[in-house]
């Protein structure tokens, strides 16, 4: 039924129905697998309750918000390219594929709303919308992505001090330990210049943002296993970077 509805919406001369069916089945499978994975990786230790809101805009020095934007951006990019590959018109590919990240993360936000350890965050939703908007706006305006969101990670010593929150292994830390994450706006300079410019097309200029010294969302004191920990001597700080980026 889902395949029939989608093919009707995207019906056109260039549509490759076989490819579109592959895209739909793949997306449903990936979505289902991701939801199961998140339930084990992220929500396993959290109890559930009635739906509620939670204002976390001041937590983690905004690192989690940027993470939401980047995830929404790239899921939208993949969604667009998958529909475009299926022969869906460019404009429909942008709008239906580009909003896939926002739709997916909205589901995650609803899960948060029923989790006693979190809550539905309007700040997260705005960040999700920004990520999708960054992709859609560039694709509609320039028919290409001149400004990319990028992510880098390195392991930190903070995770060992609070592994239940920051991650017990490397995979969990890549998602949970904001101290080791850096997010980049990578600008392709050549795409803004004239066609006869000799500026290398593979060389971007990147502006990065990160944060350090965080053992909790708002402060560095916490209780774990009925023991009180005070790391308030560790300075929580924002970090800004400027770098050249070889974009292959």
């Amino acid at each position: 039924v889902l395949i029939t509805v989608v093919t009707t919406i995207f019906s056109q001369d260039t549509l490759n129905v076989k490819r579109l069916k592959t895209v739909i089945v793949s997306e449903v499978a990936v979505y289902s697998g991701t939801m199961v994975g998140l339930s084990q990786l992220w929500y396993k230790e959290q109890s559930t309750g009635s739906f509620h809101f939670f204002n976390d805009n001041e937590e983690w020095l905004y690192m989690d918000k940027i993470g939401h934007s980047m995830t929404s951006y790239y899921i939208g990019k993949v969604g667009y390219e998958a529909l475009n590959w299926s022969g869906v018109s460019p404009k429909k590919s942008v709008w239906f594929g580009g909003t896939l990240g926002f739709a997916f993360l909205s589901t995650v936000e609803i899960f948060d709303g029923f989790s006693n350890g979190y809550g539905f965050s309007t700040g997260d939703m705005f960040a999700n919308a920004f990520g999708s908007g960054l992709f859609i706006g560039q694709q509609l305006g320039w028919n290409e992505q001149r400004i990319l969101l990028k992510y880098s990670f390195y392991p930190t010593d903070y995770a060992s001090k609070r592994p239940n929150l920051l991650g017990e292994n490397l995979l969990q830390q890549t998602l949970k330990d904001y101290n080791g994450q850096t997010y980049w706006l990578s600008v392709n300079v050549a795409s803004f210049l004239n066609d006869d410019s000799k500026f290398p097309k593979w060389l971007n200029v990147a502006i990065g943002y990160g944060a350090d010294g965080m053992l909790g969302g708002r402060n560095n004191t916490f209780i774990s296993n009925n023991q009180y920990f005070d790391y308030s001597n560790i300075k929580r700080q924002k970090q800004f970077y400027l770098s050249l980026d070889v974009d292959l």
Side-chain angles (χ1 to χ4, degrees), residues 10 12 15 19-20 23 27 71-102 131-146 148:
F10 296 141
Q12 58 194 66
L15 184 65
R19 287 187 176 185
L20 184 59
V23 168
E27 288 182 350
T71 304
S72 181
Y73 172 88
Y74 272 102
I75 294 177
K77 188 174 187 295
V78 171
Y80 161 79
E81 292 176 349
L83 291 181
N84 193 51
W85 174 74
S86 303
V88 177
S89 68
K91 183 166 289 188
K92 286 184 178 180
S93 294
V94 169
W95 284 111
F96 285 93
T99 56
L100 185 63
F102 181 81
S132 296
L134 180 63
F135 174 80
I136 293 172
Q138 291 188 86
Q139 205 63 36
L140 291 177
W142 298 320
N143 197 34
E144 62 180 352
Q145 298 296 300
R146 299 181 179 182
L148 299 174

Side-chain angles (χ1 to χ4, degrees), residues 204-247:
N204 289 9
V205 175
I207 301 172
Y209 177 76
D212 188 67
M214 301 178 295
L215 288 162
R218 298 177 185 271
N219 55 62
N220 290 343
T221 60
F222 57 92
I223 297 175
S224 179
N225 295 324
N226 296 320
Q227 185 177 355
Y228 178 75
F229 293 89
D230 186 350
Y231 290 102
S232 55
N233 60 306
I234 298 178
K235 184 179 180 180
R236 300 163 63 94
Q237 58 185 353
K238 302 173 184 177
Q239 298 172 326
F240 298 91
Y241 305 90
L242 179 65
S243 176
L244 296 177
D245 176 24
V246 177
D247 186 70

Side-chain angles (χ1 to χ4, degrees), residues 15-51:
L15 184 65
N16 187 316
V17 177
K18 185 177 180 180
R19 287 187 176 185
L20 184 59
K21 289 181 179 179
T22 301
V23 168
I24 296 171
V25 172
S26 299
E27 288 182 350
V28 170
V30 170
Y31 174 82
S32 302
T34 302
M35 290 298 103
V36 172
L38 281 175
S39 67
Q40 295 298 314
L41 182 66
W42 198 270
Y43 299 104
K44 185 178 181 180
E45 305 298 328
Q46 299 292 337
S47 59
T48 58
S50 58
F51 185 83

Side-chain angles (χ1 to χ4, degrees), residues 46-166:
Q46 299 292 337
S47 59
T48 58
S50 58
F51 185 83
H52 60 282
F53 289 84
F54 179 63
N55 185 351
D56 62 348
N57 293 334
E58 300 300 322
E59 291 191 354
W60 301 112
L61 298 179
Y62 308 109
M63 287 294 291
D64 59 324
K65 299 296 178 284
I66 302 175
H68 272 265
S69 295
M70 197 204 75
T71 304
S72 181
Y73 172 88
Y74 272 102
I75 294 177
K77 188 174 187 295
V78 171
Y80 161 79
E81 292 176 349
L83 291 181
N84 193 51
W85 174 74
S86 303
V88 177
S89 68
K91 183 166 289 188
K92 286 184 178 180
S93 294
V94 169
W95 284 111
F96 285 93
T99 56
L100 185 63
F102 181 81
F104 169 78
L105 290 173
S106 295
T107 305
V108 176
E109 205 58 48
I110 292 173
F111 280 2
D112 281 351
F114 286 101
S115 173
N116 290 329
Y118 303 103
F120 186 94
S121 168
T122 55
D124 286 352
M125 293 298 291
F126 277 113
N128 299 338
F130 174 81
S132 296
L134 180 63
F135 174 80
I136 293 172
Q138 291 188 86
Q139 205 63 36
L140 291 177
W142 298 320
N143 197 34
E144 62 180 352
Q145 298 296 300
R146 299 181 179 182
I147 304 172
L148 299 174
L149 279 170
K150 294 192 175 185
Y151 159 92
S152 61
F153 175 81
Y154 64 91
T156 73
D157 294 331
Y158 298 110
S160 63
K161 294 180 172 62
R162 199 175 184 184
N164 62 319
L165 183 66
L166 301 181

